[in-house]
């Protein structure tokens, strides 16, 4: 196999194999006995009881006549299927064969093979030399009748609706009758999303205006406020009208306030119905989201002085702790953080002008967990000379077209920022840094900044947020619309205790703060929002984790909203910093009960980050923090190695503490599907199929560890306190990371 000679089994291996085969045969014999005598298993009995209770309705035992009818129907269906498959296999398209497929579909509209057979039969008839327009119409009308009969049996049949669309797409059938047919089915079930999807297809084929369809959704909603499909169709139609800039829909300023008034009728009539709340959430998104993507932040920021040095990176006065950086790769990252995922970032859409590098040499990469070509965060590495240098770098974003959001909107607001780069020559090989200079993010190693250092941090903080020329205060109508909604929902909550009302109010308050104070970074309502999230965790424990995540996101927005609040979490690492870490500023977000990370656009500058003693199960988004060289995730709830996948993109990371998590506690890794095995042959896999992996059994058994850690350049790693961290696993880590100098506090040889 695979070019390897097969070894003869040892006697003990052969004996074990025989015993296993005997056990398997015994199990099979017992199983077939149960199966033959129709003895249900305990699992089957439990499943049957669960199904009987499904939807809150006890399942009644069938009457003898009903059971007899069901048996007769099954026998008839089997006979039809046997004959049908014979016709299909032999490509027989006679009138008798086609009529038999119609009978089969009338009994079982979900027979996709029968629908495909009828397509083949139609194509066969239409390809005959004596085919004329009347014959074509007759053939296709027969298909429409078969579909209608099938839909009477099951008007939610995917195959039937797809077949009807296929027939109409041929262009030989009248579609005037389609809306009348849809009215019948929508009277039977006004929320049938199959019918609504088909209606959109018919309306487009008839060149029926979006305004007429909008009026139809309004009529359907007035008949039933709980018609989720009608609300959804309304959002689809309005989105199309906004995109076309149709007359009366040139802007959202007039339309959205009227839609808010419309949705209030549904929400306040029945606050427990979810349909209207979903539409309100869509309206809120339309109110706060700009169509065209914007550049939210960058590193380096506009006006930065970036110091690239080797020894004694920070001396307390010459350099800003935010901008001193060491890079042993001869380059440093430029990070662009957009307000929504975009594609098309390249050397043609982003130009970088400086005296020591050419723009065409830069390769822009998206930082996406799914490895797609669209992302909020894009990074390129600017090569730097090894000699003394002082140079200005100008970065222009979007002056040439090509940057497009995932929703199809172009980046239409060109941006520019510039910074200075100070390079000092490297006096020694960084790879030979003494292992004695170990980094430990423990309480005793930090101290609060003095007044002089505080001033330095505050001055640097003023440059953290990017200020583009296109930025302006929010449109008055947006703020006014949000203010009215806040007033409305406060009134609703004063009358009743409504969970989804509290959640909506929290969303409105956060959106209002962002809209009303874009430059001041104020979060006027953050305390109220945090209190609402806390209430929701108590009121609705079923969705506790969702509210907990929202609470964490708001808390992080609050922490990063101003230099004063951020300063409370900035600490100095010891009296003098190791040469392994340039910036001695450590952002300590420990003991905040965080379950989710966010506010990354404000944290691009961070080199040392302490997230210990939180409740993080995921660190998604951390890949945006490209300067991270020292990270503590100690005492969190990370459940697997693959949860560390975002760290693979942090090329400057040297010190990592993941001790006392839950790695290895859970047999099922819910994040494993995000990572492809290095042993697989999947297309697009990043992993190298080198001989070290395929020949080392220990690495094969620990492919997740190999996948996560193989690209790391760690000097220190703490993994103690995890179930997986036994001596055997530690030896695997040493193989994967030969540059590792310290593991769980012990020096490696």
């Amino acid at each position: 196999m695979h070019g390897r000679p097969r070894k003869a089994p040892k006697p003990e291996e052969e004996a074990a194999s025989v015993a296993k085969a005997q056990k398997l045969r015994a199990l099979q014999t017992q199983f077939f006995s149960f199966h033959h005598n129709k003895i249900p298993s305990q699992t089957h009995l439990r499943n049957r009881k669960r199904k009987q209770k499904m939807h809150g309705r006890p399942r009644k035992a069938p009457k003898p006549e009903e059971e007899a009818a069901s048996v007769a129907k099954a026998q008839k269906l089997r006979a039809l299927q046997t004959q049908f498959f014979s016709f299909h296999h032999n490509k027989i398209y006679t009138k008798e064969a086609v009529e038999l497929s119609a009978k089969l579909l009338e009994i079982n509209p979900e027979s996709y093979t029968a629908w495909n057979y009828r397509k083949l039969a139609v194509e066969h008839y239409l390809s005959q030399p004596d085919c004329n327009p009347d014959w074509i119409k007759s053939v296709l009308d027969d298909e429409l009748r078969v579909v209608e009969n099938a839909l009477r049996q099951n008007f939610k049949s995917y195959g039937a609706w797809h077949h009807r669309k296929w027939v109409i797409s041929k262009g030989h059938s009248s579609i005037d009758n389609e809306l009348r047919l849809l009215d019948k089915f929508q009277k039977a079930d006004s929320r049938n999303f199959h019918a609504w999807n088909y209606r959109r297809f018919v309306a487009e084929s008839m060149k029926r205006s979006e305004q007429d369809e909008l009026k139809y959704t309004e009529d359907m909603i007035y008949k039933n406020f709980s018609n989720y499909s009608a609300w959804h169709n309304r959002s689809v139609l309005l989105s199309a009208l906004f995109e076309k800039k149709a007359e009366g829909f040139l802007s959202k300023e007039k339309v959205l306030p009227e839609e808010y008034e419309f949705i209030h009728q549904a929400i306040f009539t029945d606050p427990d119905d979810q349909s209207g709340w979903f539409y309100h959430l869509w309206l809120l998104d339309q109110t706060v989201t700009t169509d065209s993507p914007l550049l939210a932040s960058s590193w380096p920021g506009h006006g930065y002085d970036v110091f690239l040095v080797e020894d004694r990176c920070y001396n307390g006065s010459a350099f800003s702790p935010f901008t001193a950086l060491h890079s042993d790769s001869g380059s440093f990252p430029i990070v662009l953080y957009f307000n929504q995922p975009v594609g098309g970032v390249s050397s043609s859409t982003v130009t970088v002008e400086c005296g020591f590098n050419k723009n065409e040499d830069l390769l822009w990469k998206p930082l996406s967990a799914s490895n797609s070509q669209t992302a909020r965060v894009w990074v390129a590495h600017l090569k730097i000379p090894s000699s003394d240098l002082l140079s200005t770098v100008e970065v222009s974003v979007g002056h040439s077209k090509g940057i497009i959001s995932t929703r199809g909107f172009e980046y239409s607001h060109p941006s520019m920022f510039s910074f200075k780069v100070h390079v000092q020559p490297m006096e020694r090989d960084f790879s030979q840094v003494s292992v004695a200079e170990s980094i430990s993010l423990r309480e005793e190693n930090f101290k609060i900044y003095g007044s002089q250092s505080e001033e330095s941090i505050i001055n640097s903080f003023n440059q953290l947020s990017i200020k583009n020329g296109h930025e302006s205060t929010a449109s008055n109508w947006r703020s006014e619309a949000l203010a009215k909604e806040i007033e409305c929902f406060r009134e609703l909550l004063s009358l009743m205790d409504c969970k989804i009302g509290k959640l909506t109010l929290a969303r409105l308050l956060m959106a209002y703060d962002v809209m009303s104070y874009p430059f001041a970074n104020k979060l006027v309502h953050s305390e109220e929002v945090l209190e609402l999230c806390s209430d929701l965790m108590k009121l609705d424990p079923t969705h506790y984790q969702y509210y907990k995540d929202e609470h964490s996101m708001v808390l992080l927005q609050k922490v990063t909203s101003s230099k004063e609040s951020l300063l409370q979490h900035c600490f100095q690492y010891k009296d003098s910093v190791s040469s392994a870490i340039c910036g001695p500023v450590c952002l300590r977000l420990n003991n905040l009960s965080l379950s989710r990370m966010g506010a990354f656009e404000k944290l691009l500058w961070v080199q040392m980050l302490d997230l210990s003693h939180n409740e993080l199960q995921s660190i998604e988004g951390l890949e945006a923090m490209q300067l991270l060289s020292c990270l503590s995730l100690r005492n969190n709830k990370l459940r697997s190695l693959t949860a560390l996948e975002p760290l693979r993109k942090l090329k400057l990371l040297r010190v990592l503490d993941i001790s006392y998590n839950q790695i290895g506690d859970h047999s099922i890794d819910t994040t494993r599907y995000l990572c492809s095995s290095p042993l697989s042959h999947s297309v697009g896999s990043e992993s190298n199929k080198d001989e070290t992996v395929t020949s080392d059994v220990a690495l094969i058994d620990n492919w997740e560890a190999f996948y996560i850690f193989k690209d790391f350049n760690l000097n220190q790693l703490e993994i103690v306190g995890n179930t997986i961290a036994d001596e055997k696993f530690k030896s695997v880590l040493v193989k994967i990371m030969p540059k590792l100098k310290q593991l769980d506090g012990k020096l490696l040889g």
Side-chain angles (χ1 to χ4, degrees):
M1 190 179 293
H2 304 297
R4 298 177 184 177
R6 188 170 183 178
K7 297 179 181 179
K10 297 177 182 179
E12 60 271 20
E13 292 175 338
E14 194 163 3
S17 178
V18 170
K20 182 178 179 181
Q22 290 173 340
K23 182 179 179 182
L24 180 61
R25 279 195 295 271
L27 284 170
Q28 286 176 330
T29 302
Q30 191 174 8
F31 162 73
F32 284 120
S33 172
F34 290 151
H35 182 49
H36 178 72
N37 293 291
K38 299 180 181 179
I39 300 174
S41 67
Q42 290 299 315
T43 302
H44 176 75
L45 290 172
R46 284 196 299 269
N47 288 340
R48 189 164 66 184
K49 288 179 181 178
R50 188 162 59 244
K51 287 179 180 177
Q52 289 173 351
K53 295 179 180 178
M54 197 174 289
H55 306 299
R57 300 177 183 177
R59 190 171 180 178
K60 297 179 181 179
K63 297 177 181 178
E65 58 270 22
E66 292 174 340
E67 196 162 357
S70 178
V71 170
K73 182 179 178 181
Q75 289 174 342
K76 182 181 179 181
L77 182 61
R78 279 196 294 271
L80 283 171
Q81 284 176 328
T82 302
Q83 196 173 0
F84 162 73
F85 282 120
S86 174
F87 289 147
H88 185 33
H89 179 72
N90 293 292
K91 298 181 180 179
I92 298 173
Y93 304 120
T94 63
K95 183 179 180 181
E96 178 192 3
V98 174
E99 285 179 353
L100 185 137
S101 69
K103 291 178 182 177
L104 175 61
L105 287 167
E106 191 172 334
I107 297 174
N108 179 22
E110 297 306 314
S111 178
Y112 291 101
T113 306
W115 290 117
N116 289 332
Y117 168 81
R118 293 194 69 86
K119 288 183 177 68
L120 293 171
V122 169
E123 296 292 357
H124 171 76
Y125 290 148
L126 299 186
S127 65
Q128 300 303 310
D130 58 345
C131 186
N132 58 58
D134 290 339
W135 172 247
I136 293 173
K137 186 176 185 307
S138 174
V139 169
L140 296 178
D141 284 349
D142 282 344
E143 293 305 302
L144 294 177
R145 278 193 291 273
V146 170
V147 172
E148 193 168 340
N149 289 334
L151 288 174
R152 287 195 180 99
Q153 293 296 319
N154 178 15
F155 54 79
K156 292 185 178 181
S157 168
Y158 284 89
W161 286 110
H162 282 303
H163 194 72
R164 194 170 190 89
K165 188 182 289 187
W166 179 81
V167 173
I168 294 295
S169 298
K170 288 289 183 182
H172 298 282
S173 305
S174 171
I175 59 175
D176 295 336
N177 186 51
E178 296 305 293
L179 289 181
R180 287 193 294 273
L181 179 68
L182 281 169
D183 284 340
K184 291 180 182 178
F185 286 116
Q186 290 184 317
K187 282 179 181 177
D189 182 1
S190 63
R191 295 179 292 183
N192 183 356
F193 71 88
H194 299 275
W196 281 98
N197 286 337
Y198 186 68
R199 185 181 183 89
R200 285 193 286 273
F201 164 76
V202 170
E204 186 178 351
S205 301
M206 294 178 67
K207 302 290 190 282
R208 185 174 161 88
S209 71
E210 285 92 347
Q211 287 90 335
D212 288 342
E213 285 297 287
L214 206 62
K215 179 64 171 63
Y216 178 77
T217 63
E218 188 175 323
D219 294 340
M220 295 295 286
I221 288 167
Y222 274 127
K223 289 178 183 177
N224 180 9
F225 279 146
S226 187
N227 193 333
Y228 176 81
S229 295
W231 288 114
H232 171 69
N233 204 51
R234 191 171 183 83
S235 68
V236 171
L237 292 166
L238 282 173
S239 296
L241 288 166
F242 289 143
E243 191 172 342
K244 287 182 182 178
K245 298 186 183 299
E247 186 178 352
F249 297 87
L250 291 173
S251 71
K252 301 175 181 178
E253 183 174 352
K254 180 182 177 183
V255 179
L256 291 184
E258 291 177 353
E259 289 298 303
Y260 277 120
E261 292 296 328
F262 183 43
I263 193 61
H264 287 168
Q265 298 177 56
I267 288 176
F268 294 160
T269 300
D270 185 5
D272 292 328
D273 184 79
Q274 294 186 18
S275 303
W277 291 105
F278 279 112
Y279 187 71
H280 189 277
L281 180 59
W282 178 81
L283 287 177
L284 178 58
D285 181 64
Q286 293 296 307
T287 304
V288 302
T289 304
T290 56
D291 291 334
S292 178
L294 300 173
L295 185 63
S297 64
S298 69
W299 196 91
H302 183 61
Y304 263 32
D305 284 309
V306 180
F307 296 91
L308 298 168
V309 287
E310 160 61 15
D311 283 324
R312 305 293 298 180
C313 293
Y314 172 66
N315 61 17
S317 59
F319 306 143
S320 163
F322 283 85
T323 57
L325 178 69
H326 172 85
S327 175
D328 56 336
S329 62
S331 65
F332 71 94
I334 299 177
V335 183
L336 302 179
Y337 197 105
F338 295 88
N339 69 335
Q340 55 186 286
V342 298
V345 176
S346 66
S347 57
S348 61
T349 55
V350 178
T351 59
V352 179
E353 295 182 3
C354 60
F356 57 90
N357 206 332
K358 294 182 180 179
N359 178 64
E360 55 266 24
D361 293 338
L362 292 181
L363 177 63
W364 289 93
K365 292 183 178 180
L367 297 180
S368 169
S370 60
N371 294 321
S372 70
Q373 291 305 303
T374 60
R376 278 192 171 196
V377 190
W378 287 76
V379 63
H381 286 83
L382 191 64
K383 294 180 181 178
I384 53 176
S386 57
S387 58
D388 282 331
L389 176 74
L390 172 58
S391 179
T392 299
V393 180
E394 291 188 353
V395 182
S396 299
V397 182
H399 287 80
S400 299
K401 291 185 177 181
I403 299 177
I404 300 176
S405 72
T406 51
R407 299 192 299 169
F409 292 99
E410 286 195 1
Y411 185 88
S412 56
H413 302 287
S415 312
M416 192 276 290
F417 61 94
S418 62
F419 54 90
K420 290 181 180 179
V421 178
H422 304 256
V423 180
Q424 289 189 1
M426 304 299 182
E427 298 179 4
R428 64 187 175 113
D429 183 2
F430 181 74
S431 64
Q432 301 302 317
V433 172
S434 171
V435 293
E437 298 180 88
S438 60
I439 305 297
S440 175
L441 300 187
R442 304 293 172 83
E443 195 72 36
E444 62 271 14
N445 293 326
F446 293 99
K447 67 177 184 179
I448 300 174
Y449 274 102
S451 57
Q452 279 188 323
S453 299
E454 284 185 14
E455 186 178 349
S456 171
I457 293 177
I458 290 172
N459 290 335
S460 296
F461 183 86
N462 291 330
Q463 299 173 318
L464 289 179
S465 298
I466 190 167
K467 296 289 192 296
N468 295 316
H470 67 267
E471 288 181 339
S472 59
T473 55
S475 302
N476 288 335
W477 75 266
R478 296 177 188 270
S479 296
E480 289 173 4
L482 292 175
K484 286 181 180 178
E485 290 304 291
I486 290 169
E487 184 180 349
C488 248
F489 282 97
R490 279 191 170 141
E491 183 180 348
L492 175 67
L493 292 174
S494 69
L495 300 173
M496 63 180 68
D497 199 12
C498 175
K499 290 182 292 187
I500 198 165
K502 287 192 173 188
L503 179 59
T504 302
L505 178 59
R507 289 168 173 163
L508 286 166
L509 291 170
M510 287 302 297
Y512 182 80
D513 282 355
V514 173
M515 278 282 174
S516 303
Y517 309 104
F519 301 120
N521 285 316
K522 291 182 180 178
L523 289 181
V524 176
H525 300 100
S526 60
E527 288 298 333
E528 185 178 355
V529 175
L530 290 172
E531 187 177 342
L532 285 167
C533 290
S534 298
D535 287 348
L536 285 166
M537 283 186 264
K538 298 172 186 174
L539 285 171
D540 187 11
T542 307
H543 300 99
Y544 174 88
Q545 192 59 50
Y546 175 82
Y547 303 130
K548 180 67 176 172
D549 289 349
E550 291 296 304
H551 187 280
S552 299
M553 297 292 281
V554 175
L555 183 60
L556 285 168
Q557 290 289 348
K558 180 185 176 184
V559 168
T560 59
S561 64
S562 69
K563 50 185 175 288
E564 291 81 12
S565 61
L566 187 66
L567 186 60
Q568 296 176 20
H569 297 272
C570 290
F571 290 80
Q572 183 174 354
Y573 182 78
K574 296 184 176 179
D575 294 323
S576 60
V577 74
S578 162
S579 58
I581 305 294
C582 270
V585 177
C586 181
L587 182 64
R588 304 198 71 201
L589 301 176
N590 57 319
N591 289 300
L592 294 179
S593 191
L594 298 175
S595 63
R596 183 182 173 190
M597 279 297 294
F600 294 108
E601 69 276 12
K602 305 284 185 66
L603 303 176
L604 301 181
W605 55 274
V606 177
Q607 296 185 51
M608 299 178 73
L609 178 62
D610 182 4
L611 291 171
S612 63
H613 298 277
N614 281 301
E615 300 174 20
L616 295 171
Q617 296 184 31
S618 167
I619 52 173
E620 183 182 354
L622 210 66
E623 64 273 8
M625 301 173 67
Q626 285 290 294
L627 303 188
L628 269 185
S629 55
C630 188
L631 172 65
S632 175
L633 293 166
R634 184 184 183 90
N635 285 99
N636 274 279
K637 294 183 178 180
L638 299 176
R639 298 162 60 95
S640 65
L641 288 172
T642 53
L644 303 173
E645 200 272 344
L647 302 184
R648 295 179 61 241
K649 296 179 172 65
L650 302 180
K651 302 305 180 185
L652 299 180
L653 191 63
R654 297 293 178 267
V655 179
L656 176 63
D657 186 349
I658 52 173
S659 58
Y660 298 99
N661 275 270
Q662 300 174 5
I663 302 173
D665 287 2
H666 307 274
S667 57
I668 298 177
D669 177 1
T670 56
T671 60
R672 194 177 192 185
Y673 72 96
L674 296 174
C675 303
S676 58
S677 165
L679 309 179
S680 71
H681 296 274
S682 57
V683 177
S685 173
E686 297 179 17
S687 305
N688 297 320
K689 321 291 194 293
D690 56 36
E691 293 183 3
T692 305
V693 183
T694 55
S695 62
D696 193 316
V697 175
L699 295 187
I700 291 173
D701 292 341
N702 294 278
W703 69 261
E704 295 101 328
F706 179 83
Y707 176 81
I708 295 298
F709 290 108
K710 71 184 180 69
D711 295 325
F712 279 12
N713 290 310
L714 292 179
N715 294 330
Q716 296 175 219
L717 175 64
E718 298 272 342
I719 197 170
V720 67
N722 291 284
T723 304
I724 199 172
D726 56 19
E727 292 304 317
K728 182 179 177 181
F729 182 74
K730 290 179 183 179
S731 67
V732 170
L733 290 179
V734 173
K735 286 183 181 180
I736 297 172
M737 295 181 288
K739 295 182 181 178
L740 195 64
K741 296 182 175 67
Q742 190 170 303
L743 180 60
D744 285 341
K746 296 180 180 179
L747 299 180
L748 301 176

